[in-house]
Amino acid sequence: MKSMEQTNIPKGKIKRSSVIGITTAKAGLKKLEYVSKLPFIDGDKKEELRESNNDEIAKIIFSAIGMLKGAPVKLAQMFSMETERLPETYQKELIKSANQVPPISRGLIRNIIKRELGEWPENIFSSFESTPFAAASIGQVHRAESLKGKKIAVKVQYPGIAESIKSDVQMLRNILRITPFSWIIDGALTEIEEGLAEELDYRLEADNTDFFYNNLCMDNIIIPEVYREYSSERVLATSFIDGEKLDGWLYRSPDRDKRSYYGQLLCDLFISSIKGNFLIHADPNIGNFLFRDDGRLGLIDFGCVKKLSPDFIDKGNFNNAEELFRLSGIKCKKSETDRESYKFFTSWIEYITRPVRSEYFDFAENTDYFNEMKIYIPEIYNYIESYHGGFMYFGRTMYGLYRLLHRLGARVSLKLL
């Protein structure tokens, strides 16, 4: 990645297309260089050359992703949670792109706050840190303190993101065609385009945050409080929550009991959300969970919250793959009655729900569980045409939860019924 101080984001279709064009040309030349060398390379050295070429192309592409922000970084965040789909060299660059986004300049941040809230930061807050402590796909977050002494997290949206979504998605399709995983991301790009359109309005995120703050009745889960007087469509201010991201917390080598405790807390959060409110916090990025020494877990970033059908939750029998197949609304490329398609999807659903159907599931002992996903992912795209949106987000959130539990090595009970 480049320096952590970036003066601006390329705005407008022409400028952003220029970044993609240059990136595509560079990556294309690397690909051509690789192909031209192949006839003159023998044996094992061909694999070494392929890995080296993948590494060079990945660095070129994901450097551009960090520069563009918006939809490109959203793609990186999504696939950084499911990296077993991709070559190892791409995995490393994805994680960098998802978690090390260079911030925009201090002057630009001040101008955005002035435009959105009508005053300069120093006139609204008793203190405002111009260097962000977190940067993500569509905005970066700054520490501040209110005039009444309250600690605040102020999220400021990057300029030009809203206007660039559609063109960015198309450009991403073009640039990723030269990679070995273009077929994987095509459907995800449509999801990103639709999801970002909602996440761009921070007023909706404020409403989602308020709902969880007022309705999620779990003593050990901390939800931030929204400060509407400091918020707008492009700026969102909430109470600041202390805590460590997962990697930092695991670095301190917590014992198995603590890891299982927090794993169970994540499961209880998931179950309480869907059973009590028919809602899911549908962005299981590891950066959205804050681990605390007092035994509580902070939950942040409510830009992606999805409502589930009560029928799916109330009538869904997680011991019956056939019933879940019906409720999911899966439409196969072939006839729905086609036995081959039906057999595949019921097997897939049985795989997804295996931890749910177990009295206890030990993610430390079941290390091969995620390797099975490599069997299903290529096949899914051979069969699937569409499926119910709620089920899509439900499945993605559940799988993200599994990834967190796997990282924790937790033993948990995830009984939904």
Side-chain angles (χ1 to χ4, degrees):
M1 276 295 175
K2 294 186 177 181
S3 166
M4 282 304 289
E5 184 62 38
Q6 181 172 309
T7 57
N8 55 59
I9 300 171
K11 291 190 289 184
K13 187 174 181 179
I14 294 177
K15 288 184 178 180
R16 294 177 76 82
S17 296
S18 176
V19 173
I20 293 293
I22 293 171
T23 302
T24 304
K26 287 181 179 178
L29 285 172
K30 287 294 180 184
K31 188 75 171 181
L32 183 61
E33 182 182 329
Y34 162 69
V35 173
S36 66
K37 289 180 179 179
L38 272 181
F40 308 101
I41 303 296
D42 295 325
D44 295 339
K45 290 188 177 180
K46 285 189 176 182
E47 180 62 22
E48 183 179 328
L49 179 64
R50 186 183 70 82
E51 287 297 323
S52 175
N53 182 254
N54 270 343
D55 187 51
E56 291 174 337
I57 290 177
K59 288 177 180 177
I60 290 170
I61 290 174
F62 295 117
S63 176
I65 281 176
M67 184 187 304
L68 292 169
K69 305 188 190 322
V73 173
K74 199 68 177 179
L75 176 74
Q77 288 180 336
M78 178 179 292
F79 280 95
S80 70
M81 293 187 294
E82 304 173 47
T83 52
E84 69 276 354
R85 298 185 184 194
L86 310 176
E88 184 178 355
T89 51
Y90 284 86
Q91 295 176 20
K92 295 175 182 177
E93 295 302 319
L94 263 174
I95 293 170
K96 286 183 186 178
S97 297
N99 297 293
Q100 299 178 16
V101 183
I104 57 177
S105 67
R106 299 177 182 184
L108 187 51
I109 283 294
R110 293 183 76 252
N111 288 334
I112 294 171
I113 290 178
K114 175 67 164 63
R115 185 188 68 231
E116 291 293 319
L117 303 182
E119 294 283 354
W120 298 108
E122 59 267 26
N123 296 332
I124 300 174
F125 307 105
S126 64
S127 67
F128 181 87
E129 295 184 9
S130 56
T131 300
F133 69 88
S137 56
I138 64 173
Q140 60 189 45
V141 192
H142 298 256
R143 285 187 178 89
E145 189 172 300
S146 73
L147 297 175
K148 296 181 179 179
K150 294 180 179 179
K151 292 182 179 181
I152 299 177
V154 182
K155 182 158 65 172
V156 182
Q157 190 173 123
Y158 301 130
I161 297 298
E163 295 78 14
S164 68
I165 292 177
K166 287 187 179 295
S167 59
D168 277 0
V169 168
Q170 186 55 51
M171 286 188 294
L172 278 169
R173 282 198 171 95
N174 293 337
I175 192 174
L176 291 170
R177 281 174 184 159
I178 66 171
T179 70
F181 58 92
S182 59
W183 59 274
I184 296 176
I185 56 88
D186 196 59
L189 285 173
T190 301
E191 179 188 338
I192 288 170
E193 183 177 355
E194 294 173 353
L196 271 179
E198 294 181 8
E199 292 185 47
L200 285 167
D201 189 343
Y202 284 172
R203 295 170 299 187
L204 295 178
E205 183 174 347
D207 291 341
N208 292 336
T209 308
D210 274 343
F211 184 89
F212 273 82
Y213 181 83
N214 292 317
N215 294 281
L216 186 69
C217 301
M218 293 184 64
D219 292 337
N220 288 334
I221 300 292
I222 306 176
I223 308 294
E225 181 181 0
V226 175
Y227 297 122
R228 298 276 180 171
E229 63 270 34
Y230 307 126
S231 301
S232 71
E233 185 179 0
R234 301 288 182 251
V235 175
L236 176 62
T238 66
S239 54
F240 180 84
I241 298 177
D242 285 307
E244 284 189 285
K245 302 291 179 63
L246 179 60
D247 286 342
W249 188 76
L250 288 176
Y251 183 77
R252 293 195 283 135
S253 301
D255 62 32
R256 179 71 188 281
D257 287 344
K258 286 183 179 178
R259 288 185 281 118
S260 291
Y261 165 79
Y262 275 107
Q264 189 61 58
L265 197 53
L266 286 164
C267 293
D268 294 344
L269 169 64
F270 177 70
I271 295 169
S272 179
S273 297
I274 63 175
K275 295 290 283 185
N277 301 303
F278 304 114
L279 286 174
I280 51 172
H281 180 284
D283 189 5
N285 187 297
I286 60 173
N288 292 335
F289 302 93
L290 301 173
F291 294 77
R292 297 165 53 94
D293 291 334
D294 63 4
R296 295 185 294 172
L297 184 75
L299 178 62
I300 58 175
D301 196 339
F302 294 82
C304 187
V305 170
K306 298 298 176 182
K307 187 171 182 61
L308 300 175
S309 165
D311 280 349
F312 180 76
I313 301 303
D314 289 341
K315 297 179 182 178
N317 182 351
F318 287 83
N319 291 307
N320 189 327
E322 184 174 343
E323 185 176 354
L324 280 178
F325 179 84
R326 178 181 60 79
L327 289 170
S328 69
I330 290 173
K331 304 294 183 184
C332 300
K333 288 181 179 178
K334 303 176 183 179
S335 167
E336 280 192 81
T337 59
D338 184 271
R339 296 306 302 173
E340 183 183 354
S341 299
Y342 174 76
K343 181 179 179 181
F344 170 78
F345 279 109
T346 51
S347 174
W348 175 51
I349 290 172
E350 284 176 348
Y351 163 78
I352 292 173
T353 59
R354 191 182 307 159
V356 177
R357 291 181 285 107
S358 304
E359 190 67 31
Y360 284 92
F361 194 86
D362 194 321
F363 283 85
E365 292 183 358
N366 290 277
T367 54
D368 290 335
Y369 179 76
F370 290 99
N371 291 331
E372 295 182 48
M373 180 58 73
K374 296 177 182 178
I375 300 172
Y376 287 103
I377 288 297
E379 292 298 315
I380 286 174
Y381 293 94
N382 292 332
Y383 290 105
I384 200 164
E385 181 176 289
S386 64
Y387 44 87
H388 187 276
F391 180 78
M392 174 182 68
Y393 280 102
F394 177 85
R396 176 185 159 197
T397 303
M398 178 178 278
Y399 186 70
L401 172 63
Y402 289 175
R403 295 295 310 180
L404 287 166
L405 297 171
H406 178 64
R407 294 279 294 277
L408 284 166
R411 181 178 184 269
V412 298
S413 174
L414 192 53
K415 303 291 284 185
L416 289 177
L417 298 177

